[in-house]
Amino acid sequence: MINSTSGPGLLFPKGGWENDETVEEAAVREAIEEAGVRGDLLDFVGDYNFKSKTHEDEFSPEGLCKAAMFALLVKEELNSRPEQSTRIRSWLTISQAIQNCRHAWMKEALEYGFCIILLTSDAF
């Protein structure tokens, strides 16, 4: 997980995707840019709706957003990354991550999505 640049608590790397990439490619790119990790996407965890103050505009005055969450099996921890001056990477157990997670929708992904993957995946 990574620190939030706008307040307390930890987050998963996230962000929008470019017109020339898939949502899966965007997830891999954000993991590299924000957390400095590279690996293999294992499973789609789910779609989660949330509100973002930075995305409030005339088309979405409430800043409604949708995040597609994926499990990433980390295979490489990079020494250098684009956001290393503003993002601190942390390695946590699932229970520690739930306790320190900033957003309820990310906690839900941890509690339900990732736990199901752990129980049903042979990648671990």
Side-chain angles (χ1 to χ4, degrees), residues 67-118:
M69 295 288 294
F70 295 90
L72 178 76
L73 178 61
V74 175
K75 293 190 169 183
E76 183 180 7
E77 194 173 342
L78 306 173
N79 292 325
S80 175
R81 61 190 186 273
E83 297 187 25
Q84 72 183 34
S85 64
T86 57
R87 300 282 189 188
I88 299 168
R89 172 178 53 217
S90 300
W91 295 101
L92 308 161
T93 65
I94 291 175
S95 61
Q96 290 171 325
I98 290 169
Q99 289 175 340
N100 291 285
C101 195
R102 179 179 172 130
H103 300 298
W105 65 272
M106 288 186 182
K107 287 181 184 182
E108 183 181 331
L110 279 164
E111 291 173 324
Y112 302 106
F114 287 108
C115 288
I116 289 170
I117 289 169
L118 284 172

Side-chain angles (χ1 to χ4, degrees), residues 38-49:
R38 189 176 286 140
D40 298 329
L41 287 184
L42 295 180
D43 289 302
F44 173 68
V45 176
D47 285 318
Y48 295 86
N49 297 311

Side-chain angles (χ1 to χ4, degrees), residues 27-69:
V28 170
R29 178 180 49 76
E30 290 292 342
I32 292 169
E33 289 177 0
E34 294 185 354
V37 295
R38 189 176 286 140
D40 298 329
L41 287 184
L42 295 180
D43 289 302
F44 173 68
V45 176
D47 285 318
Y48 295 86
N49 297 311
F50 66 98
K51 292 182 181 183
S52 171
K53 291 181 182 178
T54 59
H55 287 90
E56 292 175 353
D57 60 20
E58 63 183 285
F59 302 107
S60 181
E62 295 179 357
L64 298 176
C65 297
K66 182 187 243 182
M69 295 288 294

Side-chain angles (χ1 to χ4, degrees), residues 17-18 20-31 41 70:
W17 62 89
E18 308 298 329
D20 64 341
E21 67 184 354
T22 66
V23 67
E24 292 85 1
E25 291 167 336
V28 170
R29 178 180 49 76
E30 290 292 342
L41 287 184
F70 295 90

